[in-house]
Amino acid sequence: RIHAIMRAALTIVAALSLLLLSYTNAARSRATHTNNWAVLVATSKYWLNYRHSSNIMSIYRSVKRLGIPDSNILLLNSEDHSCNPRNPWKATVFNNESHALNVYGDDVEVDYRGEEVTTENFLRLLTGRHDPSVPRSKRLLSDDSSNILIYMTGHGGDEFIKFQGTSELMAQDLADALVQMDAKRRYHQILLMVETCQAGTLISRIASPRVVALASSVKGESSYSYLNDFSLGQPVIDRFTHLTLFFAEALQLDSPTTLQDLVSLYG
């Protein structure tokens, strides 16, 4: 299952903590690490993919709680499920069937929405190859002192993830983008997390240095939903994100927790 994909990450101590904790904790990392960024991507449209919005909004809420400001978060959401006509509770997205927490909240900044969430825009965001007209708020203004969390959720298959059901980001495209990021000194360390079916194949071609990649499934394996909400008629979160969120919500700015602790949750 996911053990083989994550085995290489077991020796990387405190990687998730470094990427998620606020700037005040930067001195605990390597000397060249000074700032944190997050790129959060939900690639699926339509009401039946409610859980993918919930996945990404849950992670968005966690990284903000841990000190990464909206100015350093690039949020890409293909569908605004909070305002979908089928949503009986407008301006809400829940990640549990009891509706105890609205992860959409009152202060959300979506940088790319709807038809803006494309493979081209995602790759341009990572590599910095923007049209001059693209505003700063839609750019990843990272450098070689930046730790970056990239979290992707959606539908996928063997070496691809779908964007809105009309195009695919291929494993080689993702690997090439990371090579460009390294050449342009756009990151210090990257933690890439992928929640999709056969997610391990999407990260299989990555060879760039200082990149730790975690996936929810291996080749030929599905990534499963979790917590069905019968009032919505949809599952409200995926299992991999649910466990990741359980881990992230327990973190504090001075947590001694390591990436190995996260991997152990996945079993």
Side-chain angles (χ1 to χ4, degrees), residues 226-239:
Y226 189 66
L227 295 178
N228 289 315
D229 185 331
F230 294 102
S231 64
L232 292 171
Q234 298 296 329
V236 292
I237 199 167
D238 281 314
R239 292 185 181 184

Side-chain angles (χ1 to χ4, degrees), residues 37-52:
W37 291 77
V39 179
L40 313 177
V41 191
T43 66
S44 302
K45 294 180 66 176
Y46 309 122
W47 179 248
L48 59 88
N49 294 309
Y50 181 99
R51 67 190 184 279
H52 295 156

Side-chain angles (χ1 to χ4, degrees), residues 1-10 200 203 213-215 217-219 221 263 267:
R1 297 176 68 83
I2 63 176
H3 296 80
I5 299 171
M6 297 180 177
R7 192 174 296 119
L10 292 175
I203 64 177
L214 303 181
S217 54
V218 298
K219 184 173 181 176
E221 184 180 33
V263 172

Side-chain angles (χ1 to χ4, degrees), residues 3-267:
H3 296 80
I5 299 171
M6 297 180 177
R7 192 174 296 119
L10 292 175
T11 59
I12 309 298
V13 178
L16 183 64
S17 297
L18 292 176
L19 286 162
L20 295 181
L21 298 184
S22 74
Y23 299 125
T24 60
N25 205 31
R28 296 172 183 251
S29 68
R30 294 173 59 182
T32 53
H33 167 223
T34 63
N35 59 91
N36 299 304
W37 291 77
V39 179
L40 313 177
V41 191
T43 66
S44 302
K45 294 180 66 176
Y46 309 122
W47 179 248
L48 59 88
N49 294 309
Y50 181 99
R51 67 190 184 279
H52 295 156
S53 280
S54 174
N55 289 344
I56 216 64
M57 295 310 303
S58 296
I59 299 300
Y60 171 79
R61 177 181 176 276
S62 286
V63 297
K64 284 187 67 174
R65 183 186 68 81
L66 288 165
I68 302 181
D70 270 314
S71 59
N72 286 38
I73 301 173
L74 283 304
L75 179 59
L76 297 78
N77 199 358
S78 295
E79 178 77 25
D80 189 358
H81 289 91
S82 65
C83 295
N84 189 289
R86 296 186 183 182
N87 190 346
W89 296 279
K90 296 299 183 279
T92 63
V93 174
F94 299 109
N95 64 5
N96 61 82
E97 74 277 24
S98 66
H99 300 177
L101 177 65
N102 171 23
V103 294
Y104 193 81
D106 299 322
D107 185 20
V108 176
E109 294 185 16
V110 180
D111 301 288
Y112 292 79
R113 66 176 70 242
E115 300 303 322
E116 294 180 320
V117 183
T118 64
T119 54
E120 178 182 354
N121 282 341
F122 176 66
L123 292 173
R124 288 184 179 278
L125 176 64
L126 294 184
T127 60
R129 294 176 176 267
H130 294 287
D131 185 274
S133 63
V134 175
R136 288 176 60 87
S137 62
K138 291 191 173 188
R139 297 176 185 243
L140 177 63
L141 301 175
S142 58
D143 55 35
D144 59 0
S145 64
S146 304
N147 281 358
I148 306 172
L149 169 67
I150 303 174
Y151 204 101
M152 306 180 71
T153 181
H155 291 291
D158 191 357
E159 295 200 11
F160 71 88
I161 183 172
K162 293 181 180 181
F163 272 65
Q164 307 208 31
T166 59
S167 65
E168 294 84 32
L169 174 73
M170 307 303 295
Q172 192 60 59
D173 296 331
L174 179 59
D176 290 345
L178 294 174
V179 168
Q180 290 185 51
M181 292 181 73
D182 180 45
K184 293 180 175 181
R185 301 174 66 87
R186 287 178 60 78
Y187 71 89
H188 177 237
Q189 293 178 339
I190 289 177
L191 176 60
L192 171 63
M193 306 184 76
V194 183
E195 165 84 271
T196 182
C197 294
Q198 305 193 66
T201 64
L202 186 66
I203 64 177
S204 62
R205 297 184 180 271
I206 296 172
S208 298
R210 304 179 311 283
V211 177
V212 175
L214 303 181
S216 62
S217 54
V218 298
K219 184 173 181 176
E221 184 180 33
S222 296
S223 183
Y224 294 103
S225 61
Y226 189 66
L227 295 178
N228 289 315
D229 185 331
F230 294 102
S231 64
L232 292 171
Q234 298 296 329
V236 292
I237 199 167
D238 281 314
R239 292 185 181 184
F240 180 79
T241 299
H242 174 74
L243 286 172
T244 303
L245 190 64
F246 177 82
F247 176 85
E249 285 298 289
L251 287 176
Q252 300 299 326
L253 297 184
D254 57 352
S255 294
T257 313
T258 68
L259 186 60
Q260 184 170 349
D261 296 322
L262 171 62
V263 172
S264 68
L265 280 179
Y266 298 138

